[in-house]
Amino acid sequence: MKDKIHPTYYPDAKVTCASCGRTWVTGSTKKEFRVDICSNCHPFFTGESQRILDIEGQVDRFYKKLSARQTYVEGQKAKEAAKKSPERPIADLGLSTRATEALTKAGILQVSQFMDKLAEGDAALLAIAGFGQKSLIDAKKKLRSFGYELPEITEASTPA
């Protein structure tokens, strides 16, 4: 080893904790130094971490967030169920005013009634005064976007 390149080692260096004031002796290259926190006052070593969790209410906040999430998910499911509800008013389809009024005059006020009429064939809906081909196409698109399954129209149900 080369001389005078290594720091001086002090086997009886004094360490002082700035938080609790505890002192102890250890080996170091400094004669005396201070630490911010020691094992005597650190929450991890003293078991205070459990008390800190309860004081801050982290567990309560977690359960609050969890219940908020569950409420949100239940609301979304209810919204999806309402979206596919057959009792949904025909006005929710967002058709033109003329088409909506024509369906209302024909006694079709709900989506279920519209679907029943659609099962009879396109001609049954086109026979309603004021309800044309464009309105039929728009209604079918909107029903599909809401998640409804449109009835299959067989060749026998459409007039030739």
Side-chain angles (χ1 to χ4, degrees), residues 5-156:
I5 63 166
H6 297 289
T8 307
Y9 180 75
Y10 301 100
D12 56 349
K14 182 180 172 186
V15 182
T16 307
C17 177
S19 298
C20 66
R22 180 176 170 230
T23 60
W24 66 94
V25 177
T26 187
S28 176
T29 57
K30 294 183 180 179
K31 262 190 172 181
E32 190 175 311
F33 60 97
R34 300 178 72 105
V35 292
D36 291 334
I37 195 161
C38 67
S39 63
N40 189 42
C41 57
H42 193 281
F44 181 76
F45 295 107
T46 61
E48 292 289 317
S49 60
Q50 291 299 324
R51 189 179 65 79
I52 290 171
L53 280 176
D54 293 338
I55 289 172
E56 292 179 5
Q58 290 180 357
V59 174
D60 294 334
R61 284 190 307 204
F62 171 75
Y63 282 123
K64 186 177 177 182
K65 286 179 186 178
L66 183 64
S67 67
R69 171 71 178 146
Q70 288 172 342
T71 304
Y72 173 76
V73 168
E74 289 169 3
Q76 288 296 98
K77 286 181 181 177
K79 191 176 179 182
E80 279 296 317
K83 196 175 183 181
K84 291 176 124 181
S85 173
E87 285 79 34
R88 187 177 192 144
I90 204 74
D92 286 356
L93 292 180
L95 301 174
S96 66
T97 307
R98 180 179 179 172
T100 304
E101 287 176 0
L103 290 172
T104 304
K105 285 180 185 175
I108 300 173
L109 303 173
Q110 296 178 341
V111 171
S112 60
Q113 296 169 332
F114 184 85
M115 297 290 274
D116 292 341
K117 199 74 163 172
L118 187 61
E120 297 173 18
D122 291 351
L125 285 167
L126 293 173
I128 298 171
F131 192 82
Q133 187 68 35
K134 170 111 173 60
S135 300
L136 179 62
I137 291 169
D138 290 344
K140 285 182 177 181
K141 282 182 184 177
K142 199 64 166 178
L143 287 171
R144 283 190 197 104
S145 72
F146 284 151
Y148 290 100
E149 292 185 25
L150 301 180
E152 292 294 324
I153 302 169
T154 59
E155 295 298 321

